[in-house]
Amino acid sequence: MGNQTPSATARVPVSTYRLQFNRDFTFAAARALADYFDALGVTEVYSSPILRARPGSPHGYDVIDHTRLNPEVGTEDEFAGFAEELRRRGMGLVMDVVPNHMCVASPENRWWQDLLANGPSSPYARFFDVDWHPPNPKLQNRVLLPVLGDQYGRVLENQEIRIGYRAGAFHAHYYETQLPVAPRTSTIILALALDELRAHLGDTHEDVLELESVVTALKNLPPRTETDPARVRERRRETEVAKRRVARLVRESNEARKAVHDALARANGAKGDPASFDLLEELLDSQAYRLSYWRVAAEEINYRRFFDINELAAVRVEERPVFTAVHEITFRLMKRGLVTGLRIDHVDGLLDPEKYLGDLQRECAGILGHGRAAAASAAATAGAQTPGAAADEGAAVQAAAGAGDALPCYVVVEKILGHGEELRAEWPVHGTTGYDFSNLLGGVFVDTSRVAAVRDFYREFTGSAVNFADLLYESKKLILKVAMSSELHVLARRLDRIAARSRFSRDFTFNSLHDALAELIACFPVYRSYVRRRHTAVGAEDRRLIQSAVRAARRRNPALSRSLFDFVASVLLLEDPKGLSPKERDERREFVLRFQQLTSPVTAKGLEDTAFYRYYPLASMNEVGGEPDVLGVALHEFHQANERRQARWPHSMSATSTHDSKRSEDVRARISVLSEIPAEWRAAVTRWREMNRGHKRIGDYAEIPDANEEYLLYQTLVGAWPLEGLGEANRDEFAERVRQYMTKAIKEAKLNTSWINADEDYERAVSDFVTAALAPGDDNAFLADFAGFQRLTARCGMLNSLSQTLLKTTAPGLPDFYQGTEVWNFSLVDPDNRRPVDYARLRALLGSLGGDGAGDPAALAGRLISEPEDGRLKLFVTSRALAFRKARRELFAAGDYVPLAASGEHADSVVAFARKSGA
């Protein structure tokens, strides 16, 4: 298969192309495009998640069933047809795996529905990370469901919650939300029906006796807190029997059917009669869940979520049964030879990423038939860091680089690396999905000699001298307060129990421990550390990170006791006091692992979804994994990073655009041009502010939009402006895209509006400003002035994009292309970057290159440069570079990376290196 030989281990791609599957782009559609991907020069298609997702999902990350493919995308046979068509062409398929979470907002998530029906006795209770014993006594052995749009009482008496019947069972309905009524509690309704039926038919009628028997059986079911396996099986067996008996009775008896429906009508209450809802409230209060107003989630939610999204519940993939269930289809497709590589989503959300990845590779070794040697290699790699001490960094790096080629399966992880952070050498993977490379490469196109002028003007225009480190700290504190305070409370309770066990720490109050934890999380310098449960000492890198956070927290909180931070640090650094019992030691390790799971989402939400939307002197630097206060990358840093990459992670992905990008590569390439013309940019923005001043609305305290938001708008227009200009055919669509982007941006910033507390008047004022600025007419001086300025940035941005494409394809790592970015693509953050791709057009453009350029490529390139607007110029560079790399795969996989120095007047504008194989 391609470059794969029967005796080889992982099939390592030469290049990848990311596809977003959904109901508008199916397996059948992808199969029909296999010849296009092949002709483009990519060797692997890299798919979005393909398991059954919430109906209508545009992206597939909201999985509701890990045991089925998404029927909206296609059947397993259709997937096989697509994969086999790729295989026939010598191509492979990398599959996106989502091991962290599931969507629980759909009634079709049978795992979650079973948990809600049966509570701790559900076989799926261990699948989800639920705290069954939180401090709130009303939540003992219950799950908080913050799904209501208003206070519970108002929703209840407004008849927005209704009980319905179907096929022998009862369900609670709140608009599209459907929740099970536990079998034992359904006797509240069935008892009413029984009374009516008895009144009509008498005590001895067979229908009465049957329903009475069912009610008795249900009342005698083991309680939902019962976890003994035999009793749980009894509960499930008798529940199914009772369900079938009720269904048969309702189906065959008119009187029973009427009695059940009359009971439902009584239970659902009468609007205007508050007392009539008491029965419904009693029924809901007896469930294994508690319905609540959605605003309660931040403080009381007792299941771990994906970030702060209530609809996405974390799964405990560290448990073997969960691991097996989550990967059921993935492993089946691998056994069939249909999947050749894996991309692991959000690896930092896992309790123990290294263990998970080791388990994954060991499973792949058995599936792919590479035998004991490969399995042993995977196991050895997974255990490179021995308990008790961190492995020598240099030796571990070399071991991982060598082991990468011996791993059974090609695996990359979605891992966002902080400044100066390296991917953990002991992980049995081939690298990351490429955010680190994207920011490294993007920084090369920033003129570092002039960025001070850009930063100075930004401060002058916005009137704010922001220190980004302080801004990030405050943003993370905000997330802990308004979005993830419940997770922080749970962690603080764990720490409080640990503190109470020692005479030296028992006097620390819960509040002080809570505050110290919040400070340490807000000061944590990267997304997370990776201490493992089996470790007895913390590795050098993790020790450095923890100590850095402690020092920063002390510095920011001089009034807090130093001993408080010392205590928390001692737990995180595994400095166990003498005399601990095994249970006490396990409790401390569990705290450390949970701490690590929390720092990651807080950093992601604080940095990417808050700070990035508050501070943007040069918005092209505000990319996932980037640092907005570090404007540009020096050439020697670029070369050094590539040399390290070739030595350590030669098979890591090299991305420039992804489905999660804040801006596409072409948008960023244009915005970076501003760093080269700071004087012209200053003059233009100053003019535009005056031209558009009349479109602003005066709010309670200031103008709308504020200066910072206006500055973002102008950068956004520079980056996303249509190549063909703005005219009747595209004006409305473009204006709407920009309005939607600006609304999302100001909500994410959480300064003047937010997702939680939307200020619709403010949002409308910003949208109106965008509409007025883009309105046609001779009286709109801004449009004409902007168009003249934009022509320069667009032309220079094209050159940046072409250079970026060529560098990505030839530098160490595997070039990754996001769908549609092989031509000019000026998309903004999702959902804008998930718009359909016109593959018919792309196929035609690529075909024209083959015909026109076969005889004289130089002449073709000249024509394309003179007329670059249709995108064929970028497509030409992409396809030719991919073909060159594909033909020399060994050179790029294993060849040396040799930086080259340029000379002459414009030497500073040249990035040059050689790829060398052999002597």
Side-chain angles (χ1 to χ4, degrees):
M1 190 172 178
N3 65 325
Q4 183 96 351
T5 60
S7 61
T9 51
R11 172 194 166 103
V12 176
V14 177
S15 55
T16 54
Y17 187 98
R18 167 79 177 202
L19 292 177
Q20 283 294 131
F21 285 106
N22 52 51
R23 62 186 176 188
D24 298 320
F25 187 78
T26 63
F27 298 143
R31 180 179 184 176
L33 291 167
D35 62 328
Y36 169 74
F37 303 135
D38 188 13
L40 183 63
V42 295
T43 67
E44 248 78 3
V45 167
Y46 158 32
S47 82
S48 63
I50 57 174
L51 301 187
R52 191 181 183 195
R54 183 177 1 197
S57 172
H59 47 72
Y61 285 99
D62 40 6
V63 175
I64 61 173
D65 189 346
H66 282 285
T67 65
R68 289 183 57 195
L69 291 182
N70 190 343
E72 295 185 344
V73 176
T75 65
E76 189 164 328
D77 285 344
E78 288 171 321
F79 177 81
F82 169 48
E84 286 164 357
E85 180 63 26
L86 293 177
R87 180 162 56 189
R88 190 176 68 80
R89 298 173 177 276
M91 302 171 69
L93 196 153
V94 176
M95 177 178 168
D96 198 337
V97 177
V98 187
N100 290 282
H101 60 270
M102 294 183 75
C103 174
V104 295
S106 170
E108 296 174 272
N109 186 329
R110 58 186 179 85
W111 294 356
W112 186 251
Q113 290 286 305
D114 193 287
L115 178 145
L116 296 181
N118 298 296
S121 74
S122 168
Y124 303 106
R126 294 283 296 174
F127 278 46
F128 298 94
D129 216 345
V130 178
D131 180 3
W132 294 106
H133 303 289
N136 186 342
K138 295 180 180 179
L139 288 177
Q140 289 295 308
N141 293 305
R142 303 176 76 190
V143 180
L144 182 76
L145 296 184
V147 299
L148 305 181
D150 201 346
Q151 296 288 343
Y152 172 73
R154 293 194 188 100
V155 171
L156 191 74
E157 294 188 15
N158 199 37
Q159 289 191 317
E160 294 174 66
I161 304 173
R162 309 281 293 178
I163 304 299
Y165 166 86
R166 187 178 70 253
F170 298 94
H171 297 85
H173 296 266
Y174 175 70
Y175 298 102
E176 71 279 2
T177 299
Q178 177 181 300
L179 303 167
V181 170
R184 197 176 186 187
T185 66
S186 66
T187 57
I188 295 174
I189 298 171
L190 292 176
L192 293 177
L194 178 60
D195 289 344
E196 180 176 330
L197 199 60
R198 186 181 286 119
H200 282 83
L201 301 179
D203 291 343
T204 59
H205 191 279
E206 60 180 346
D207 290 349
V208 173
L209 295 175
E210 172 67 0
L211 185 55
E212 187 174 30
S213 174
V214 170
V215 169
T216 300
L218 289 173
K219 285 183 176 179
N220 289 325
L221 286 176
R224 64 171 179 252
T225 53
E226 178 63 73
T227 57
D228 176 73
R231 296 279 282 163
V232 168
R233 286 194 298 273
E234 176 191 346
R235 175 186 169 91
R236 298 182 73 80
R237 181 185 66 247
E238 294 304 317
T239 294
E240 286 303 310
V241 170
K243 182 179 175 181
R244 287 196 295 269
R245 291 172 68 186
V246 170
R248 183 181 56 78
L249 184 62
V250 170
R251 184 175 61 251
E252 297 177 358
S253 168
N254 292 332
E255 291 84 357
R257 182 163 53 254
K258 180 179 183 302
V260 168
H261 286 294
D262 287 348
L264 282 174
R266 180 177 169 187
N268 282 320
K271 202 167 185 177
D273 181 4
S276 69
F277 292 95
D278 291 349
L279 192 64
L280 178 56
E281 184 174 11
E282 178 190 351
L283 179 65
L284 293 174
D285 279 348
S286 64
Q287 302 308 309
Y289 52 84
R290 178 190 172 198
L291 295 173
S292 71
Y293 188 22
W294 64 269
R295 290 180 181 272
V296 173
E299 293 187 13
E300 288 204 337
I301 199 164
N302 62 327
Y303 62 89
R304 190 167 61 85
R305 302 166 289 175
F306 176 74
F307 292 173
D308 60 344
I309 305 172
N310 297 339
E311 293 82 8
L312 299 180
V315 295
R316 305 184 70 235
V317 76
E318 63 272 10
E319 298 280 340
R320 187 66 195 187
V322 184
F323 177 90
T324 301
V326 164
H327 298 88
E328 177 181 325
I329 286 187
T330 302
F331 293 152
R332 185 165 77 236
L333 297 177
M334 291 183 73
K335 285 179 181 177
R336 295 183 62 185
L338 304 176
V339 170
T340 57
L342 302 175
R343 180 258 196 198
I344 308 303
D345 181 61
H346 188 51
V347 73
D348 276 347
L350 301 172
L351 191 71
D352 187 343
E354 185 181 340
K355 179 183 183 299
Y356 166 82
L357 295 167
D359 290 345
L360 190 70
Q361 289 286 10
R362 280 188 288 274
E363 195 74 26
C364 291
I367 290 171
L368 298 175
H370 297 317
R372 295 181 180 177
S377 174
T381 306
Q385 192 170 21
T386 57
D392 175 76
E393 293 262 347
V397 167
Q398 293 303 318
D405 294 325
L407 292 174
C409 181
Y410 179 75
V411 176
V412 290
V413 292
E414 186 199 30
K415 165 61 187 165
I416 299 166
L417 299 168
H419 186 68
E421 184 183 9
E422 294 279 353
L423 183 63
R424 294 303 169 108
E426 59 270 18
W427 287 8
V429 299
H430 291 82
T432 73
T433 55
Y435 295 125
D436 45 331
F437 182 83
S438 179
N439 287 284
L440 174 72
L441 179 58
V444 171
F445 295 94
V446 173
D447 188 342
T448 55
S449 68
R450 302 186 184 188
V451 291
V454 174
R455 189 181 282 111
D456 289 346
F457 174 56
Y458 174 69
R459 289 173 178 167
E460 176 187 318
F461 186 88
T462 61
S464 175
V466 173
N467 179 291
F468 186 74
D470 292 339
L471 172 62
L472 177 56
Y473 165 79
E474 294 297 339
S475 297
K476 290 166 76 172
K477 289 287 293 290
L478 178 66
I479 293 300
L480 283 167
K481 180 179 179 181
V482 305
M484 305 193 78
S485 63
S486 177
E487 287 83 352
L488 179 60
H489 283 311
V490 169
L491 194 64
R493 286 199 303 273
R494 288 181 180 274
L495 187 61
D496 189 43
R497 288 195 293 269
I498 292 170
R501 296 186 187 282
S502 170
R503 67 172 69 103
F504 297 105
S505 55
R506 69 180 188 183
D507 288 339
F508 293 133
T509 65
F510 172 83
N511 287 340
S512 66
L513 293 168
H514 177 280
D515 292 346
L517 273 178
E519 292 300 321
L520 284 171
I521 293 169
C523 292
F524 211 78
V526 294
Y527 280 69
R528 63 168 285 175
S529 53
Y530 298 97
V531 178
R532 301 187 63 191
R533 192 187 303 276
R534 63 183 177 84
H535 287 171
T536 56
V538 175
E541 177 62 10
D542 288 329
R543 178 173 293 276
R544 183 186 69 81
L545 295 172
I546 294 166
Q547 290 175 338
S548 173
V550 170
R551 287 193 300 270
R554 284 174 181 155
R555 187 170 61 251
R556 290 185 180 276
N557 298 274
L560 282 180
S561 169
R562 181 186 180 93
S563 62
L564 185 61
F565 289 115
D566 288 344
F567 166 67
V568 183
S570 72
V571 180
L572 294 174
L573 293 171
L574 311 187
E575 295 171 352
D576 299 334
K578 293 180 180 179
L580 285 184
S581 68
K583 181 179 179 181
E584 290 170 337
R585 180 187 176 280
D586 289 345
E587 186 177 36
R588 293 168 76 95
R589 294 299 177 273
E590 187 69 20
F591 168 81
V592 175
L593 268 60
R594 298 294 181 173
F595 174 86
Q596 294 175 148
Q597 272 189 305
L598 183 54
T599 59
S600 176
V602 171
T603 299
K605 295 296 295 183
L607 177 61
E608 300 167 37
D609 294 340
T610 306
F612 274 9
Y613 291 94
R614 292 184 174 191
Y615 180 82
Y616 27 74
L618 194 63
S620 54
M621 299 293 97
N622 289 46
E623 193 46 78
V624 179
E627 297 179 271
D629 59 332
V630 179
L631 302 185
V633 172
L635 188 54
H636 73 276
E637 294 175 336
F638 176 74
H639 286 312
Q640 288 171 357
N642 278 328
E643 289 176 310
R644 287 196 304 272
R645 206 162 196 255
Q646 183 61 29
R648 303 178 183 184
W649 303 105
H651 308 311
S652 190
M653 282 185 176
S654 301
T656 43
S657 290
T658 76
H659 60 286
D660 278 333
S661 292
K662 303 298 183 184
R663 296 163 184 83
S664 73
E665 60 199 66
D666 294 332
V667 170
R668 299 197 308 274
R670 285 176 165 186
I671 294 174
S672 290
V673 173
L674 302 178
S675 69
E676 302 181 66
I677 52 171
E680 292 86 342
W681 173 240
R682 170 190 284 268
V685 172
T686 302
R687 291 194 307 273
W688 300 339
R689 175 170 54 185
E690 293 307 312
M691 293 172 179
N692 289 324
R693 190 177 294 279
H695 304 321
K696 290 196 170 190
R697 187 185 301 176
I698 305 301
D700 293 338
Y701 304 106
E703 294 178 328
I704 306 173
D706 66 25
N708 202 35
E709 294 160 349
E710 186 178 4
Y711 193 87
L712 176 62
L713 172 63
Y714 295 142
Q715 289 191 84
T716 301
L717 294 179
V718 165
W721 198 260
L723 265 177
E724 66 275 19
L726 211 56
E728 255 184 62
N730 64 358
R731 185 186 309 276
D732 290 345
E733 179 193 11
F734 180 72
E736 180 59 20
R737 286 176 56 210
V738 176
R739 282 192 293 267
Q740 289 182 5
Y741 172 77
M742 288 301 297
T743 299
K744 178 170 182 172
I746 61 178
K747 281 179 176 287
E748 297 283 23
K750 306 171 188 67
L751 292 171
N752 296 310
T753 184
S754 69
W755 299 107
I756 295 177
N757 291 302
D759 186 332
E760 294 180 0
D761 288 340
Y762 193 97
E763 292 169 15
R764 193 176 301 111
V766 173
S767 290
D768 290 346
F769 182 85
V770 173
T771 301
L774 299 179
D778 295 337
D779 58 339
N780 190 344
F782 166 71
L783 274 184
D785 192 276
F786 180 84
F789 179 88
Q790 195 273 337
R791 277 192 288 274
L792 171 64
T793 54
R795 184 75 179 184
C796 295
M798 285 182 187
L799 298 176
N800 280 355
S801 292
L802 296 175
S803 300
Q804 193 168 244
T805 300
L806 185 60
L807 289 171
K808 173 174 77 172
T809 312
T810 54
L814 309 182
D816 173 52
F817 292 82
Y818 181 63
Q819 60 178 30
T821 60
E822 60 267 42
V823 294
W824 309 124
N825 184 297
F826 303 106
S827 296
L828 300 168
V829 74
D830 67 276
D832 193 61
N833 63 5
R834 292 169 181 163
R835 290 172 293 154
V837 177
D838 187 351
Y839 280 110
R841 172 175 171 268
L842 295 184
R843 189 197 294 274
L845 290 177
L846 185 60
S848 73
L849 293 179
D852 294 346
D856 190 352
L860 172 60
R863 290 197 299 274
L864 297 177
I865 290 171
S866 66
E867 297 179 353
E869 286 77 14
D870 65 2
R872 290 200 303 162
L873 177 58
K874 187 178 180 186
L875 188 59
F876 174 79
V877 172
T878 300
S879 59
R880 293 303 189 271
L882 284 173
F884 185 86
R885 183 179 182 114
K886 189 175 180 180
R888 297 161 180 81
R889 61 185 72 208
E890 290 304 321
L891 168 66
F892 287 99
D896 294 335
Y897 175 91
V898 184
L900 299 176
S903 60
E905 183 180 355
H906 298 292
D908 289 344
S909 299
V910 176
V911 180
F913 54 82
R915 301 305 305 271
K916 178 184 176 185
S917 181

